[in-house]
Amino acid sequence: MDSLTPMLRQYQSIKAEHPGAILMFRLGDFYEMFYEDAVVASKALALTLTSRGRGTPHEAPMCGVPYHAAQGYIGRLIRQGFRVAICDQVEDPRAAKGIVRRAVTRVLSPGTVTDDLQLPAREPNYIASVLPSAEPRRGRPADGFGVAFLDLSTGDFRLAEHRGEKAGEALADQLAFFAPREILAPEGAAPGLPRAEGALEGTLVHAAPAWAFARDAAYRALTERLGTASLDGFGCEGRDLAIGAAGGLLHHLRETQKADLKHLTRVTWHEERDGLVLDAATRRTLEAVENARDGGREGTLLSVLDHTLTAMGGRLLRDWILRPLLSVEAIEERLDAVELLLGRPSERAALRGLLARVADLERLLARSALGTANARDLVALRDSLAVLPSIAALGVAFTAPALARRVAGLDVLGDLHGALAAALAEDPPATIKEGGLLRDGYHDELDRLRLIRRDSRAYLASVETRERARTGIASLKVRYNKVFGYYLEVSHANRGLVPADYERRQTLVGAERYATPELREYEAKVLTAQERIEALEHEIFVALRGEVAETAPRLQATAGALAALDALAALAEAAAEHGYARPRVEDSGRLRILEARHPVVERMLAGERYVPNDCLMDLEERQILILTGPNMGGKSTYLRSVALIVLMAQAGSFVPAAEATIGIVDRIFSRVGASDNLARGQSTFLVEMNETANILNNATARSLILLDEVGRGTSTFDGLSIAWSVAEHLHDHAPVAARTLFATHYHEMTELALLRPRVKNLTMAVREWNDTIVFLRKVLEGAADRSYGIQVARLAGLPRAVVDRALEVLANLEREELSRDGRPKLARHLGGGSTAGVTGGEASEPAGGAAPAQLGLFVPEEDPIVEMVRQAPLDRMTPLEALNFLAEMKRRLAR
């Protein structure tokens, strides 16, 4: 260190305090990076790598970016997962004695950015902090975790805690749900954090000192920040692991942001059971907020519903979609608000017109509290606050409780608006240290200094006129540059006319430059005024920004009210534009949807009419619906449309249906589609089985389950066996006897309707015409006997010889459908166990069974199908079910 230059010694000293970050070191008009940081940054940013002290023993690789363009480069580094320490000059170089003093003013990372240019406006940006329970015993994982999630850009601060055998699994699911861009953990704990799909993978994970997570220190830090004596009012008193996680996070943020975090005014206790739960697989399957193609918004439910006009409203609506409600009363309150706005199009349009003029108050406040807001941010805040009285006046007519409550709590912040309006210039610059931030007339001293600067032109013009007259040099000019200040310029031809009191400053090819005592004195006065203007404006602006931060609780409450108004108005706008109907929500096991439509698919059809379908389910007679039909027939779309309608209804939205009655659902599970996870060594079938196991282990009787092609990832017999057993378990095991839609190509599965009373069959209608197939997309009662996979293969262009041979093989396979005694082979139990009145060899007469003759059906006694018909509970079937059953028997007899 002693042999380095003073500047590099200073750099090395500061870098030692931030070993895990790229240090951007301010030198003049550039941010420079040195040594390994320079090598890494030059590759990440495609910069030219040079060196300092080339050819010396202390040659240092270096690269740099211009100060005025630094934000763009910082954003690129953060998007690639780097942490960046910003090291600024913290004293005026002109006043420095020796090397300019420098210090890190902020450390930026993926979880702590607040700049709008680096954040998606309508999505949160969380940093998480995780605290495991005491040291795991004998290498076993921790049996408890506290976790804190914070969106620093808005102040959204949530705590949770997980204990017991499934604590790790619950934490992993929660990390996947919040998708933090950065995770903090005590030193040594990060490798033991649980992992799940969508959690931790590709996320920046780093350590903080373990002492920062200690309960007492964390409790003190949290209560001091919230300004309370205890945490009772936030629902987290006694939750020591969660409090420790929050304390570690607060310590980290104070160290990296160098600010008081005044916008962190409350914490929310996050309970999973407070809302309808969508696990990672279901969120992906339903494409609720991210599409499966590239993770973007296009083609998602959010893209259809998001008619919000503010970034705050967009984020809140996204949260409503991901966490629908469970309370019938709360859902009905939202629906009442949507209905009122839907029925008043002119008032809705007026409200939305006003909301369109409101900026992102939450993020403007956060930047003010962190000391990074500039004058343009405060102008946006000023202009937004100006709209609030009009919104409050318009909202008086909104009588629905969800609207009236928000309007009543709308603080228009007239005092803050008045302060900003009086102080800020109309069009201030982006920087805050070069003046031009404040209005004329706002500050007396500032006005006096500006007058000196403004009058300089007139004064210098008068000097020029006077000196021309005194010297007789008509071409004499008064000029200024940064090196010589103000000077008089005289051509060589007029040197003989120069007075004795002129002092030569510079000789040029065609002229001489002179100074006078008068010009030097005036220059000092003007330059001093400019420096004082810049310093005074900066000082006043920082104080004004501090006033904004002090209003944090009020401003956040207003932002929340505006976001809710915006989200409710957006749902009304979507209902009006797409023709949605109000659902009826009740605390029951019913699900009755007439003319259901998929909200996304119907918007994407070009010149084709969407075919709506009904869905009738309950827990008494129609618990499990087995859906068969051809490939490309619309089974998956039907399943997803039902789930999305349930989600929309419980989020408080109108739904794409003619009529809907929704019995409250506590979780939606989805096992749809095929995918693998090669990075984690998981095949398509293993992923499928993991998702199925999750459903069977965590579903309740109040859940909604979507199963699509369970078992297709393995051999036919293995897959069919698993699918059959899963359906039986969901029917017979009361704790998981949930409403279930089960789409399959295993047509043998339809036999379950004969063996289980709450299983019913549905099929996708299809028509054959001239050796081709027409998909009708209509769901009907009954079972399909073909999948038309070979016809679809023909449509895809398989060679004719391959298609013909496939038809031959199919015919051979279909001959083996029944056992020797004429019963479905799948219905047999090994070891003589019974299945709904059916044994492995003989069938017992069920109570109330009907003989075939009772229904006028003639069946030869020697035919092996006789027993199947005799055992069928035809008297408990509807006429349509009985006809479908008899038609199936007729088909088998004919074959």
Side-chain angles (χ1 to χ4, degrees), residues 341-481:
L341 291 169
L342 179 62
R344 298 185 182 180
S346 58
E347 288 97 330
R348 185 176 77 246
L351 174 63
R352 286 169 54 77
L354 292 170
L355 288 169
R357 295 161 56 187
V358 177
D360 194 340
L361 302 185
E362 292 176 330
R363 287 184 172 170
L364 291 174
L365 169 62
R367 290 200 291 275
S368 296
L370 294 169
T372 61
N374 60 27
R376 291 179 180 177
D377 288 330
L378 266 56
V379 165
L381 177 59
R382 176 199 68 193
D383 295 345
S384 298
L385 296 179
V387 180
L388 298 188
S390 298
I391 294 177
L394 179 65
V396 171
F398 297 152
T399 56
L403 295 170
R405 188 171 64 252
R406 268 70 181 225
V407 172
L410 197 63
D411 185 346
V412 298
L413 293 118
D415 52 341
L416 179 60
H417 174 260
L420 295 175
L424 295 170
E426 281 302 312
D427 186 22
T431 61
I432 63 172
K433 292 187 176 181
E434 298 176 4
L437 309 177
L438 305 174
R439 289 181 182 274
D440 288 337
Y442 177 69
H443 192 277
D444 291 342
E445 175 64 10
L446 185 61
D447 288 346
R448 187 185 69 80
L449 294 169
R450 283 176 171 173
L451 184 62
I452 293 173
R453 184 183 62 183
R454 192 178 298 125
D455 289 347
S456 63
R457 290 186 179 180
Y459 175 78
L460 294 173
S462 69
V463 169
E464 186 176 271
T465 301
R466 187 179 70 239
E467 291 301 309
R468 284 179 179 178
R470 182 166 79 94
T471 62
I473 304 173
S475 60
L476 180 148
K477 294 182 177 63
V478 177
R479 298 281 179 85
Y480 171 83
N481 67 33

Side-chain angles (χ1 to χ4, degrees), residues 33 370 515 522 568 635 675 820:
M33 290 151 281
L370 294 169
Y522 189 77
L568 291 167
K635 297 190 299 298
S675 63
R820 292 176 61 186

Side-chain angles (χ1 to χ4, degrees), residues 563-748:
L565 291 173
D566 191 17
L568 291 167
L571 292 177
E573 192 74 13
E577 181 174 325
H578 306 318
Y580 292 166
R582 175 169 180 161
R584 176 184 175 187
V585 181
E586 58 186 30
D587 197 0
S588 75
R590 285 207 303 163
L591 196 60
R592 181 176 183 271
I593 308 173
L594 302 183
E595 298 185 21
R597 314 187 305 273
H598 191 295
V600 178
V601 173
E602 73 166 342
R603 311 307 326 154
M604 301 176 71
L605 294 177
E608 185 178 349
R609 185 179 69 87
Y610 188 95
V611 180
N613 284 294
D614 300 343
C615 180
L616 307 175
M617 303 183 76
D618 57 50
L619 298 178
E620 292 76 35
E621 297 181 354
R622 298 175 65 85
Q623 177 213 334
I624 299 178
L625 303 182
I626 305 292
L627 178 60
T628 53
N631 293 291
M632 297 174 58
K635 297 190 299 298
S636 296
T637 299
Y638 176 72
L639 265 61
R640 290 180 172 96
S641 68
V642 172
L644 287 171
I645 286 173
V646 169
L647 187 159
M648 291 171 66
Q650 291 190 215
S653 171
F654 281 30
V655 299
E659 183 180 331
T661 300
I662 309 297
I664 288 292
V665 169
D666 64 353
R667 296 187 66 150
I668 297 177
F669 291 96
S670 177
R671 160 79 285 283
V672 178
S675 63
D676 53 28
N677 193 332
L678 299 181
R680 298 178 61 193
Q682 295 183 348
S683 67
T684 299
F685 183 64
L686 180 56
V687 170
E688 178 184 326
M689 289 300 98
N690 284 338
E691 293 175 358
T692 305
N694 175 55
I695 294 171
L696 298 181
N697 290 325
N698 293 293
T700 74
R702 300 181 70 200
S703 301
L704 175 64
I705 300 174
L706 312 182
L707 297 172
D708 190 5
E709 306 299 347
V710 168
R712 70 175 172 182
T714 185
S715 70
T716 301
F717 285 174
D718 284 357
L720 178 52
S721 302
I722 291 170
W724 184 283
S725 180
V726 167
E728 280 188 346
H729 184 79
L730 290 171
H731 181 281
D732 298 344
H733 193 53
V736 294
R739 288 160 286 184
T740 303
L741 286 166
F742 200 133
T744 182
H745 283 294
Y746 296 136
H747 298 127
E748 296 86 348

Side-chain angles (χ1 to χ4, degrees), residues 8 33-35 38 50-54 56 58-63:
L8 285 178
M33 290 151 281
F34 297 97
Y35 301 107
T50 60
S51 63
R52 191 179 187 94
R54 187 183 300 274
T56 70
H58 302 293
E59 181 175 346
M62 67 177 289
C63 65

